[in-house]
Amino acid sequence: MMSMFRCPLCGKNLEKQNRTLKCEHGHSFDISAEGYTHLLPPNKMNSKVPGDSKEMAASRSAFLDGGYYAPLKTALEETVLELAKGEEPSVLDCGCGEGYYTAGIAKELKNRFIKAKIAGFDISRPSVKRAAKRTKEAEFAVASVFDIPAADESFDILLNVFSPLSIEEFARVLKSRGYYIYVVPAARHLWQLKAAIYDTPYENKEEDIPYSGFEHEATKQIRYKTLIKNKEDIFALFQMTPYYWKTSAKGAEKLKKLESLETEVAFDVHIYRKIK
């Protein structure tokens, strides 16, 4: 059976043979017990253990399983179903993390398109390990968004949720007129969280950025309030944000004192289409 990924060393197709993926040049990559493959060559790793740590992956997974971002998950599932065409639509989740959104999309897509193909990758091995455990309806790999181990024009839909951008790579792996779904925080996303840690909270900058090779088709706005019920989930959310690295010790201590937190949640789901 052919993999949706390609060999990161020579670019040839990968074929599943027992518990490995092999290319015609003899390069071989083990499939883990959980079901993912490590396709990030050592010379492409930016650190010994790139991406989120085991502890951060567990914390993020627990927060997402709490349902706090369920409206975004539902919106992404609906968007993919709206855009998917043909008998075998293919979807690639770039920076899939723990697979929360990937699993939901895979389930809904497979219910409508039996032959649908879904793949996801992330640079964090602990995150991909959790993603592969979460669903067997998708193929997962450890890989970099800046060197995606996928063939040219091999996917119909590409998803990026709060992950680094690599527009040239996205355009390369998307089929002609394929869709790119990009999720970003809106102006008042997590406003009350920021108010708890900063003396002067600021709104996120909102802008429609043109990307070479793509045309902007639509933006879906997701706005709601959620009650984060305990200290553990508040801290897990904090770890998921850029504020975790920017907040002073004083601000972090203020956050630790909170028993619960009601905050605004605001996402913009941008839909782009490849021009050619």
Side-chain angles (χ1 to χ4, degrees), residues 112-123:
R112 182 174 296 183
F113 304 92
I114 297 175
K115 296 182 180 180
K117 298 177 181 179
I118 305 95
F121 70 87
D122 198 279
I123 201 169

PDB file of all heavy atoms in Angstrom, residues 112-123:
ATOM      1  N   ARG A 112     -18.546  10.494   4.806  1.00  0.00           N
ATOM      2  CA  ARG A 112     -19.129  10.926   3.533  1.00  0.00           C
ATOM      3  C   ARG A 112     -18.377  10.366   2.327  1.00  0.00           C
ATOM      4  O   ARG A 112     -18.985  10.030   1.308  1.00  0.00           O
ATOM      5  CB  ARG A 112     -19.152  12.454   3.453  1.00  0.00           C
ATOM      6  CG  ARG A 112     -19.790  12.976   2.171  1.00  0.00           C
ATOM      7  CD  ARG A 112     -19.932  14.475   2.162  1.00  0.00           C
ATOM      8  NE  ARG A 112     -20.834  14.963   3.200  1.00  0.00           N
ATOM      9  CZ  ARG A 112     -21.155  16.249   3.340  1.00  0.00           C
ATOM     10  NH1 ARG A 112     -20.655  17.154   2.505  1.00  0.00           N
ATOM     11  NH2 ARG A 112     -21.979  16.621   4.297  1.00  0.00           N
ATOM     12  N   PHE A 113     -17.065  10.290   2.437  1.00  0.00           N
ATOM     13  CA  PHE A 113     -16.235   9.801   1.330  1.00  0.00           C
ATOM     14  C   PHE A 113     -15.439   8.594   1.828  1.00  0.00           C
ATOM     15  O   PHE A 113     -14.437   8.763   2.524  1.00  0.00           O
ATOM     16  CB  PHE A 113     -15.265  10.878   0.844  1.00  0.00           C
ATOM     17  CG  PHE A 113     -15.915  12.169   0.427  1.00  0.00           C
ATOM     18  CD1 PHE A 113     -16.075  13.207   1.338  1.00  0.00           C
ATOM     19  CD2 PHE A 113     -16.355  12.362  -0.873  1.00  0.00           C
ATOM     20  CE1 PHE A 113     -16.651  14.410   0.960  1.00  0.00           C
ATOM     21  CE2 PHE A 113     -16.939  13.556  -1.264  1.00  0.00           C
ATOM     22  CZ  PHE A 113     -17.094  14.579  -0.346  1.00  0.00           C
ATOM     23  N   ILE A 114     -15.877   7.412   1.484  1.00  0.00           N
ATOM     24  CA  ILE A 114     -15.244   6.197   1.992  1.00  0.00           C
ATOM     25  C   ILE A 114     -13.764   6.137   1.626  1.00  0.00           C
ATOM     26  O   ILE A 114     -12.930   5.671   2.411  1.00  0.00           O
ATOM     27  CB  ILE A 114     -15.974   4.950   1.454  1.00  0.00           C
ATOM     28  CG1 ILE A 114     -17.422   4.927   1.968  1.00  0.00           C
ATOM     29  CG2 ILE A 114     -15.241   3.664   1.862  1.00  0.00           C
ATOM     30  CD1 ILE A 114     -18.256   3.799   1.396  1.00  0.00           C
ATOM     31  N   LYS A 115     -13.413   6.654   0.447  1.00  0.00           N
ATOM     32  CA  LYS A 115     -12.031   6.571  -0.016  1.00  0.00           C
ATOM     33  C   LYS A 115     -11.205   7.819   0.297  1.00  0.00           C
ATOM     34  O   LYS A 115     -10.096   7.984  -0.227  1.00  0.00           O
ATOM     35  CB  LYS A 115     -12.017   6.320  -1.523  1.00  0.00           C
ATOM     36  CG  LYS A 115     -12.630   4.990  -1.937  1.00  0.00           C
ATOM     37  CD  LYS A 115     -12.533   4.798  -3.444  1.00  0.00           C
ATOM     38  CE  LYS A 115     -13.128   3.470  -3.881  1.00  0.00           C
ATOM     39  NZ  LYS A 115     -13.032   3.291  -5.351  1.00  0.00           N
ATOM     40  N   ALA A 116     -11.725   8.683   1.142  1.00  0.00           N
ATOM     41  CA  ALA A 116     -10.996   9.901   1.498  1.00  0.00           C
ATOM     42  C   ALA A 116      -9.650   9.555   2.130  1.00  0.00           C
ATOM     43  O   ALA A 116      -9.494   8.529   2.799  1.00  0.00           O
ATOM     44  CB  ALA A 116     -11.823  10.742   2.460  1.00  0.00           C
ATOM     45  N   LYS A 117      -8.670  10.432   1.904  1.00  0.00           N
ATOM     46  CA  LYS A 117      -7.329  10.222   2.446  1.00  0.00           C
ATOM     47  C   LYS A 117      -6.944  11.417   3.316  1.00  0.00           C
ATOM     48  O   LYS A 117      -7.053  12.562   2.881  1.00  0.00           O
ATOM     49  CB  LYS A 117      -6.317  10.066   1.311  1.00  0.00           C
ATOM     50  CG  LYS A 117      -6.583   8.868   0.407  1.00  0.00           C
ATOM     51  CD  LYS A 117      -5.593   8.822  -0.735  1.00  0.00           C
ATOM     52  CE  LYS A 117      -5.869   7.642  -1.667  1.00  0.00           C
ATOM     53  NZ  LYS A 117      -4.908   7.618  -2.813  1.00  0.00           N
ATOM     54  N   ILE A 118      -6.515  11.132   4.532  1.00  0.00           N
ATOM     55  CA  ILE A 118      -6.147  12.186   5.476  1.00  0.00           C
ATOM     56  C   ILE A 118      -4.779  11.897   6.056  1.00  0.00           C
ATOM     57  O   ILE A 118      -4.496  10.759   6.464  1.00  0.00           O
ATOM     58  CB  ILE A 118      -7.168  12.311   6.624  1.00  0.00           C
ATOM     59  CG1 ILE A 118      -8.582  12.517   6.076  1.00  0.00           C
ATOM     60  CG2 ILE A 118      -6.806  13.462   7.554  1.00  0.00           C
ATOM     61  CD1 ILE A 118      -9.402  11.265   5.940  1.00  0.00           C
ATOM     62  N   ALA A 119      -3.930  12.906   6.072  1.00  0.00           N
ATOM     63  CA  ALA A 119      -2.604  12.772   6.658  1.00  0.00           C
ATOM     64  C   ALA A 119      -2.317  13.994   7.519  1.00  0.00           C
ATOM     65  O   ALA A 119      -2.857  15.083   7.281  1.00  0.00           O
ATOM     66  CB  ALA A 119      -1.532  12.632   5.575  1.00  0.00           C
ATOM     67  N   GLY A 120      -1.477  13.801   8.518  1.00  0.00           N
ATOM     68  CA  GLY A 120      -1.085  14.905   9.377  1.00  0.00           C
ATOM     69  C   GLY A 120       0.357  14.748   9.809  1.00  0.00           C
ATOM     70  O   GLY A 120       0.864  13.632   9.919  1.00  0.00           O
ATOM     71  N   PHE A 121       1.016  15.869  10.041  1.00  0.00           N
ATOM     72  CA  PHE A 121       2.389  15.797  10.529  1.00  0.00           C
ATOM     73  C   PHE A 121       2.676  16.958  11.473  1.00  0.00           C
ATOM     74  O   PHE A 121       1.992  17.990  11.451  1.00  0.00           O
ATOM     75  CB  PHE A 121       3.400  15.784   9.377  1.00  0.00           C
ATOM     76  CG  PHE A 121       3.503  17.106   8.644  1.00  0.00           C
ATOM     77  CD1 PHE A 121       4.356  18.106   9.083  1.00  0.00           C
ATOM     78  CD2 PHE A 121       2.746  17.339   7.504  1.00  0.00           C
ATOM     79  CE1 PHE A 121       4.448  19.315   8.421  1.00  0.00           C
ATOM     80  CE2 PHE A 121       2.828  18.548   6.826  1.00  0.00           C
ATOM     81  CZ  PHE A 121       3.684  19.538   7.286  1.00  0.00           C
ATOM     82  N   ASP A 122       3.675  16.771  12.298  1.00  0.00           N
ATOM     83  CA  ASP A 122       4.101  17.803  13.237  1.00  0.00           C
ATOM     84  C   ASP A 122       5.575  17.557  13.548  1.00  0.00           C
ATOM     85  O   ASP A 122       6.053  16.421  13.441  1.00  0.00           O
ATOM     86  CB  ASP A 122       3.270  17.755  14.517  1.00  0.00           C
ATOM     87  CG  ASP A 122       3.369  19.039  15.328  1.00  0.00           C
ATOM     88  OD1 ASP A 122       4.357  19.217  16.063  1.00  0.00           O
ATOM     89  OD2 ASP A 122       2.443  19.875  15.215  1.00  0.00           O
ATOM     90  N   ILE A 123       6.278  18.602  13.950  1.00  0.00           N
ATOM     91  CA  ILE A 123       7.689  18.448  14.262  1.00  0.00           C
ATOM     92  C   ILE A 123       7.903  17.848  15.645  1.00  0.00           C
ATOM     93  O   ILE A 123       8.987  17.355  15.965  1.00  0.00           O
ATOM     94  CB  ILE A 123       8.406  19.818  14.144  1.00  0.00           C
ATOM     95  CG1 ILE A 123       9.905  19.617  13.953  1.00  0.00           C
ATOM     96  CG2 ILE A 123       8.101  20.697  15.350  1.00  0.00           C
ATOM     97  CD1 ILE A 123      10.644  20.870  13.560  1.00  0.00           C
TER      98      ILE A 123
END
